[in-house]
């Protein structure tokens, strides 16, 4: 499930019977241009900005996530199965799907709709999705937590580890304070920003009652997004429990958790009055930690957060029994985790491995997010996925990057405050017994074994990108997805289940939905390019490379399956069909992201024989950051994707394929 970054923000809203699709690239750009009132100078160090419109102004009036019609879900499901099955397999699956639609599925859907009507405060997918994540027993490392790395600060002297870490901590606190004060600009997707992203509109909409505000935004083609996940960004941790984990949040926590060499430190970054501690003091405390000569612990406790969740739950109980309850509470209630790595990064591949998993010793993977800053100032966010999706994390990352690069609070040559950091900073020291030491040792062996199997490679295609594709009236995302289909066909000779993550954040408590890029059309197109390039004219190949436009069915089927299981019912035969298992065995798991703040993002494959494909279509180039386990050859796959993009752009140039 690590591929569920949900950064490809596609929210479907009914409008005149059609569907509007929102892309994350636009989200990342539009949300960076604020025309809200600036905070007064007296509080300039406390807030990022002061929005005219309250942060949660639209939350009450957000539309509810619609449950699709059962017949539409079945039709879409069968359309997605068609390219993956032979004729006989498809006939079997078709009959099971129709039987489901007319029988057990009809009953389950009616119950789901009735349940949804009784829970108008949320969405039909919210509780099952939380449960799916929190009940999973696999390690969060590689299986769930993704990463997004920051671009370097354009001013190179600000990429010093101490300087950058200090500025990012300060900006993170400013974001948190702006959010909690209700002053953070609401998350809105602007289809026509000239009308909606203006002072005049904001001054109007602020007076529209919250229960009606969404409709006012809708009238000017603006679509507010759900922000219910945002409160979990800070002071939050996933707590391991037997069978099902819990999410813990304590907004009273004023301290930062810092990790270095596997040692854990805490100090306050918010004072007793709720204000940001002076940046020079934060700098002093971080400088003290970076110069601390305490050796790395022989048994780094943090590696336990990489364990199987039931194993970790058992060891946590033993930790508490050994007298560590108070210090664990300190860890759990920290605003977030700052990981200071002593290593410098060699290249993008090294960055990906370090930010996605590291060695397990200098991370607390259960924190809602960890900010990682390496010795040479490379920075990234690694986040736990159960509490929320990429939309919230991306907004935070965009804001922190903007704030640290435009309004840094400490500078090269800034003197750290003359404070007693030795008294302000506390190194946590846990009481361990032999059983706990053995558990830590075993956890270290397990993570070492797991990450040793992961290969990551990257590719940049420089011949063209978004601009040229849009001139040809082609969807940049559809072309990237087509290249993945063609690349896999070229390498392995088949079409396989493909997952493209998307977000339903335009609805109240929306989470994610799945786009299925492997269609009958993309299969036909891939075969034409890969296996019969000489048999088709340029015009024919250009025509067949059309954007696929699928609508979701996965969450609806998931919710009905969850409902049947929760009632103790036997699963309907649709769910026991091997074809259902196969389409949910996503060999190609993909997620896209472009943002001025983000250099690259990545995640592990969601199945042992899969690829984890992070990609971005930029104005004049296309980039991919892809992971695999030994069952697949990631280097060869990227060569095949590159060749596929070459062929597509050759056709777009009006030239024949050789």
């Amino acid at each position: 499930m690590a591929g569920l970054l949900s950064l490809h923000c596609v929210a479907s809203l009914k409008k005149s019977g059609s569907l509007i699709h929102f892309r994350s690239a636009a989200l990342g750009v539009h949300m960076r241009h604020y025309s809200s009132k600036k905070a007064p100078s007296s509080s300039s160090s406390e807030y990022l900005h002061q929005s005219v419109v309250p942060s949660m102004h639209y939350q009450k009036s957000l539309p509810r996530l619609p449950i699709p019609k059962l017949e539409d879900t079945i039709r879409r499901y069968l359309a997605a199965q068609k390219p993956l099955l032979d004729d006989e397999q498809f006939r079997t699956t078709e009959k099971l799907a129709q039987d489901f639609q007319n029988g057990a599925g009809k009953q389950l859907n009616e119950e789901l709709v009735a349940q949804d009507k009784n829970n108008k405060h949320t969405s039909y997918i919210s509780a099952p999705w939380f449960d799916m994540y929190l009940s999973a027993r696999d390690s969060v490392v590689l299986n769930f937590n993704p990463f997004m790395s920051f671009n370097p600060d354009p001013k190179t002297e600000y990429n010093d580890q101490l300087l950058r870490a200090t500025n990012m901590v300060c900006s993170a606190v400013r974001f948190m304070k702006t959010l909690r004060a209700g002053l953070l600009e609401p998350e809105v997707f602007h289809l026509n920003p000239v009308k909606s992203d203006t002072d005049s509109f904001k001054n109007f909409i602020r007076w529209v009652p919250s229960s009606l505000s969404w409709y006012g935004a809708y009238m000017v083609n603006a679509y507010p997004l759900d922000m219910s996940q945002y409160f979990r960004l800070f002071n939050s941790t996933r707590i391991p429990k037997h069978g099902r984990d819990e999410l813990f949040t304590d907004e009273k926590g004023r301290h930062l958790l810092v990790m270095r060499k596997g040692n854990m430190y805490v100090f306050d970054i918010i004072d007793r009055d709720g204000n940001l501690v002076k940046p020079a003091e934060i700098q002093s405390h971080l400088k003290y930690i970076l110069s601390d000569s305490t050796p790395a612990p022989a048994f780094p406790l943090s590696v336990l957060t990489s364990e199987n969740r039931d194993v970790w739950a058992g060891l946590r109980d033993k930790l508490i029994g050994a007298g560590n309850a108070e210090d664990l509470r300190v860890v759990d209630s920290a605003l977030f985790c700052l990981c200071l790595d002593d290593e410098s990064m060699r290249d993008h591949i090294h960055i990906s491995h370090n930010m996605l998993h590291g060695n397990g010793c200098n991370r607390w993977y259960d924190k809602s997010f960890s900010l990682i800053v390496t010795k040479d100032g490379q920075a990234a966010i690694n986040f736990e996925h159960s509490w929320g999706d990429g939309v919230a994390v991306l907004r935070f990352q965009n804001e922190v990057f903007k704030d640290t690069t435009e309004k840094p609070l400490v500078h090269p040559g800034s003197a750290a405050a003359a404070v007693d950091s030795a008294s302000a900073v506390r190194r946590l020291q846990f009481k361990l017994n032999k059983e706990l030491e053995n558990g830590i040792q075993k956890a270290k062996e397990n993570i070492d074994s797991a990450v040793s199997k992961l290969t990551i490679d990257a590719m940049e295609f420089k011949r063209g990108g978004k601009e040229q594709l849009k001139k040809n009236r082609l969807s940049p995302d559809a072309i990237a997805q087509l290249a993945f289909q063609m690349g896999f066909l070229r390498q392995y000779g088949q079409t396989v289940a493909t997952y493209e993550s998307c977000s339903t954040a335009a609805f109240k408590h929306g989470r994610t939905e799945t786009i299925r890029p492997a269609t009958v059309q993309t299969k036909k197109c891939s075969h034409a390019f890969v296996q019969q390039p000489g048999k088709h004219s340029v015009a024919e190949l250009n025509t067949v490379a059309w954007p696929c436009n699928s609508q979701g069915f996965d969450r609806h089927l998931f919710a009905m399956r969850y409902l049947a299981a929760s009632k103790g019912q036997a699963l309907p035969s649709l769910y026991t069909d091997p074809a259902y298992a196969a389409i949910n065995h996503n060999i190609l798991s993909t997620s896209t992201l472009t943002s001025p703040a983000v250099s690259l993002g990545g995640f592990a494959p969601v199945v042992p024989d899969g690829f984890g494909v992070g990609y971005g279509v930029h104005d004049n180039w296309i980039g991919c950051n892809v992971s695999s386990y030994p069952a697949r050859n990631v280097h060869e796959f990227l060569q095949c994707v590159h060749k596929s993009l070459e062929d597509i752009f050759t056709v777009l140039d009006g030239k024949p394929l050789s």
Side-chain angles (χ1 to χ4, degrees), residues 126-166:
S126 183
W129 210 240
F130 272 115
D131 202 40
M132 179 272 295
Y133 271 120
L134 294 171
S135 298
R137 300 293 82 194
D138 293 329
S139 166
V140 297
V141 184
L142 301 186
N143 297 300
F144 294 97
N145 287 28
F147 84 91
M148 295 186 290
S149 67
F150 285 88
N151 273 314
D153 192 303
K155 302 181 292 296
T156 54
E157 64 272 23
Y158 281 83
N159 291 309
D160 169 80
Q161 183 181 27
L162 175 59
L163 210 58
R164 197 165 202 205
T166 304

Side-chain angles (χ1 to χ4, degrees), residues 50 176 594:
Q50 269 191 333
M176 183 272 291
T594 52

Side-chain angles (χ1 to χ4, degrees), residues 259-273:
M259 302 198 64
R260 178 170 174 260
K261 291 185 178 177
N263 290 306
M264 303 167 72
Y265 308 80
V266 292
F267 64 86
D268 286 352
I269 50 176
I270 299 172
D271 66 21
R272 294 184 185 280
D273 297 322

